[in-house]
Amino acid sequence: MPAEVIREPLALKLSLPGQATELIAIGDLPNPLLAVDLTEGLAALIHPHGPLAKRTTVMSFISTLRRMVRELAADGFVGSAGELSRPLLASFWLRSQYLVEYRTRTTLRAFDERHRALAESVRQMVFGTNYTRPVVGSPLPPYQPAEWNRLIDLCKAEVRRLGDRHRAMLALAEEGQDPAAGGWNKANAAWLLLRLGPVSRAVIAKHLGLTREEARQGSLGLEEIRNALFPTHADAVPYLLLLGAWTGIVPDGLTGLETKDVRWTGQQAMLLSYTKGRTGEESLVLSAGASRLLEQWIEHSAQARRHAPEDLAGRVWLVTSHCRFIAATFAEYLLRPWVKRHGLRSDAGGPMWLDRRRLRTTFIAQRGQRTWSLRATIDPNHSPEVEGDHYLSAATPAQRAVVGEIIADAQGDLLRRASTPLVVDDAAAADRLPQEVERLGLNQGVLEELLGGERDVFTTSCADQLAGLHGPKGKPCPARPWVCLLCPLALFAPRHLPNLLRLKAYFARQFRAMPRAQFAVVFAPYARRLSAEILPRFPLAAIEAAQAEVADVDAELPLRAEEMTS
């Protein structure tokens, strides 16, 4: 649901992806007017209307909001956001760090876009360039080979040990019975915990009809049995580190996994969907080893899922802490004790402190050393080995000629994509067209047909449909409507605006329906050319008038069945 501002007392009600609805108090601040306005701006930034979709990010914006209100109040400002002045904001931002300026600028921009309340001079400043710049650190280096091997070996050994311990305790529980009838022993305790969950001694005492002190004396080994049946934070660490090392998935993507994101794609491989904070939904087909590892963890935590609340049972990294179920966070303060407990050392001799971002860095570095980078392939559908066999080993003159044609086509395609689109209107045509006519080699009759609409196709007006740029020379061009956006033979006039806007809406529908990586390959170059280079060159009034003709449905475009979005 959209975030909602509660005014008395001031609070923010929101529901972030994957989380329950929450009410976050803003607090009693010295300038309620400015606090309310900034909270309104923050609400506009929160998912689904804005980019803020993580609780930690929202809390950082709230903390900065409070700081801005307090500091401006200390400067004597007691008005609303609409009464802010340029000197006051400049003074605040110049003494602030980059993130403070970035968050407050972003909040004020969102507030003004929703309410248009800022003074014009302040608006220009808010939407202008930052005073401060982010401090850019050095790239994270990959782990040294010896360090990496020690970490992987330790994680593998821990996964084997924890799995064996869990399976042995399950087998022991099958031999047990209710300790209220059979007495307290390891097998009976495991039998009981499988049915009650990771309960405390107080619950055990109540079940056995004993006092808490009697239960404490008579339930020795309870914690060991409980931890063997229900994984803890420390048990999840080697699984997570090993999965990150074998897949290269970003830390926030791994931490937020849910069981519904895991699907088998065959007998040995899993398809894992995850959310990457900077880009959004992504997916990855896991290797056989990574698939078995994730399957083993899900089996290890299966008993916990039987007893966990519904909102937690779907989390992949479900663990127990002090007899409660929680979703593991893997913060640094939890990884440090694990490193110390297992004596994991760096090459320098000290503790090997773990940074989960470096797991991805090391994965990418090792992948680059194992194989030729896929960025070097001529065709993204070919593996490096196939390209090497087919292109680099060309020996005969005919083969070398084919390679030369491939290179020439690729270079020509790059040049076409880099060319500026030809966009005209009635006022500018006389001044700009002569140079374009000379470049394309057109005669006066063709020019008149282009401007008169006689050579119109769906998206544009084509200088020569038989030129063979996208199909056989001498045959009508078979290209799809969006291909015209990057074609050097295309001329865009105001009469094409409705279809251009229909195409823009189609790109938006495809963006919502396709994985981001696939959209980037198939449609991104055309969508960028349309939004960044073609539409901005038309008058805003003409675009708004054409927008009224767009219904945002597939029926408006000449699409094939496989290209439909609904």
Side-chain angles (χ1 to χ4, degrees):
M1 72 169 193
E4 179 184 355
V5 178
I6 308 298
R7 295 178 178 268
E8 291 294 338
L10 185 59
L12 195 59
K13 185 178 181 182
L14 69 163
S15 179
L16 298 174
Q19 299 186 26
T21 301
E22 182 179 8
L23 187 67
I24 302 177
I26 304 299
D28 187 14
L29 297 173
N31 184 353
L33 294 175
L34 181 60
V36 169
D37 288 347
L38 293 178
T39 306
E40 290 276 1
L42 179 56
L45 291 172
I46 295 175
H47 177 88
H49 297 318
L52 306 188
K54 295 180 66 175
R55 189 180 188 279
T56 52
T57 309
V58 173
M59 293 305 298
S60 66
F61 269 76
I62 290 176
S63 175
T64 306
L65 180 156
R66 294 172 180 146
R67 172 176 174 175
M68 181 178 187
V69 174
R70 292 192 180 105
E71 289 196 17
L72 293 187
D75 292 341
F77 180 73
V78 293
S80 65
E83 300 174 69
L84 288 170
S85 65
R86 291 174 64 97
L88 187 67
L89 279 178
S91 174
F92 172 70
W93 284 335
L94 285 172
R95 66 175 182 258
S96 302
Q97 297 177 345
Y98 167 75
L99 283 176
V100 173
E101 182 182 357
Y102 163 73
R103 291 169 186 156
T104 52
R105 273 186 186 271
T106 304
T107 303
L108 285 172
R109 287 170 183 168
F111 170 75
D112 188 64
E113 286 174 349
R114 175 174 287 189
H115 298 287
R116 300 293 294 180
L118 298 180
E120 183 58 35
S121 59
V122 174
R123 180 179 298 113
Q124 293 176 3
M125 183 180 183
V126 167
F127 284 83
T129 306
N130 282 27
Y131 290 127
T132 55
R133 292 289 182 269
V135 178
V136 180
S138 56
L140 290 171
Y143 286 108
Q144 295 300 316
E147 295 176 332
W148 184 253
N149 292 336
R150 286 195 294 270
L151 174 61
I152 299 302
D153 290 345
L154 172 61
C155 289
K156 286 181 177 179
E158 276 296 288
V159 166
R160 286 193 295 269
R161 182 185 70 82
L162 293 170
D164 292 343
R165 184 186 70 170
H166 179 71
R167 287 187 290 272
M169 193 59 66
L170 288 177
L172 187 62
E174 292 180 358
E175 303 172 3
Q177 59 177 315
D178 192 339
W184 184 269
N185 58 46
K186 205 168 186 178
N188 292 347
W191 182 93
L192 181 62
L193 288 180
L194 275 183
R195 286 152 180 80
L196 297 183
V199 296
S200 64
R201 280 192 173 87
V203 178
I204 298 292
K206 183 177 180 180
H207 178 82
L208 298 179
L210 303 175
T211 65
R212 189 170 298 186
E213 183 60 32
E214 291 172 336
R216 183 178 293 109
Q217 296 296 328
S219 59
L220 298 177
L222 174 63
E223 184 175 359
E224 176 190 353
I225 300 168
R226 187 168 55 211
N227 291 346
L229 291 174
F230 307 103
T232 63
H233 256 118
D235 297 340
V237 167
Y239 285 94
L240 178 98
L241 295 179
L242 208 52
L243 189 60
W246 285 352
T247 63
I249 296 176
V250 292
D252 57 344
L254 277 183
T255 304
L257 287 178
E258 297 188 6
T259 52
K260 63 181 178 61
D261 299 326
V262 182
R263 300 191 302 276
W264 282 101
T265 59
Q267 294 183 348
Q268 293 187 326
M270 284 180 173
L271 176 65
L272 185 63
S273 301
Y274 60 95
T275 301
K276 185 176 180 181
R278 289 181 298 175
T279 58
E281 296 294 333
E282 297 194 4
S283 59
L284 177 70
V285 177
L286 303 184
S287 64
S291 298
R292 287 194 297 271
L293 175 70
L294 188 54
E295 181 185 24
Q296 183 174 339
W297 168 255
I298 292 176
E299 291 177 356
H300 192 162
S301 56
Q303 300 304 322
R305 297 182 198 285
R306 291 174 49 203
H307 300 280
E310 185 178 352
D311 59 326
L312 289 174
R315 302 298 293 268
V316 166
W317 305 109
L318 176 68
V319 297
T320 58
S321 177
H322 300 93
C323 303
R324 295 183 299 107
F325 292 105
I326 60 173
T329 59
F330 305 104
E332 184 182 1
Y333 72 89
L334 292 168
L335 295 179
R336 282 179 175 267
W338 188 85
V339 169
K340 288 183 178 180
R341 184 161 55 250
H342 295 284
L344 189 61
R345 295 284 169 178
S346 67
D347 285 350
M352 181 179 164
W353 303 128
L354 298 177
D355 187 331
R356 292 195 293 133
R357 296 171 299 175
R358 290 183 70 187
L359 297 179
R360 175 175 169 81
T361 303
T362 310
F363 170 83
I364 294 173
Q366 290 196 342
R367 183 182 62 185
Q369 294 170 359
R370 288 193 302 266
T371 182
W372 184 16
S373 171
L374 291 176
R375 294 188 182 93
T377 59
I378 297 174
D379 185 341
N381 297 308
H382 290 166
S383 68
E385 293 80 8
V386 169
E387 298 237 338
D389 292 341
H390 283 74
Y391 304 129
L392 297 184
S393 60
T396 67
Q399 290 174 328
R400 287 194 292 270
V402 171
V403 173
E405 290 178 6
I406 293 173
I407 294 173
D409 287 344
Q411 292 175 337
D413 184 60
L414 289 175
L415 290 174
R416 287 194 295 271
R417 290 177 179 233
S419 64
T420 303
L422 179 54
V423 180
V424 299
D425 55 35
D426 294 338
D431 296 332
R432 298 174 50 200
L433 280 181
Q435 296 83 358
E436 297 297 333
V437 169
E438 181 178 355
R439 178 178 67 86
L440 296 174
L442 305 178
N443 57 41
Q444 188 63 31
V446 172
L447 180 59
E448 292 174 356
E449 292 174 1
L450 283 171
L451 295 177
E454 296 179 30
R455 289 177 174 254
D456 275 6
V457 290
F458 181 81
T459 312
T460 181
S461 190
C462 182
D464 187 1
Q465 280 211 49
L466 307 179
L469 288 184
H470 308 292
K473 193 174 183 63
K475 300 289 185 180
C477 180
R480 308 303 297 133
W482 47 85
V483 175
C484 298
L485 299 173
L486 289 175
C487 183
L489 302 176
L491 180 143
F492 303 94
R495 64 178 179 274
H496 300 127
L497 270 174
N499 283 346
L500 290 172
L501 293 174
R502 293 182 179 108
L503 204 54
K504 182 180 179 182
Y506 175 72
F507 289 152
R509 295 197 299 275
Q510 289 286 12
F511 182 81
R512 293 191 295 267
M514 299 170 65
R516 287 177 180 260
Q518 184 182 0
F519 181 87
V521 172
V522 178
F523 291 116
Y526 308 107
R528 184 195 173 280
R529 170 62 68 92
L530 177 60
S531 298
E533 300 184 38
I534 296 176
L535 290 179
R537 295 171 63 178
F538 287 106
L540 183 59
I543 295 176
E544 292 176 350
Q547 188 67 54
E549 302 179 34
V550 178
D552 195 8
V553 293
D554 286 338
E556 295 182 313
L557 294 95
L559 300 176
R560 297 168 180 162
E562 66 271 20
E563 296 167 349
M564 297 292 183
T565 60
S566 61

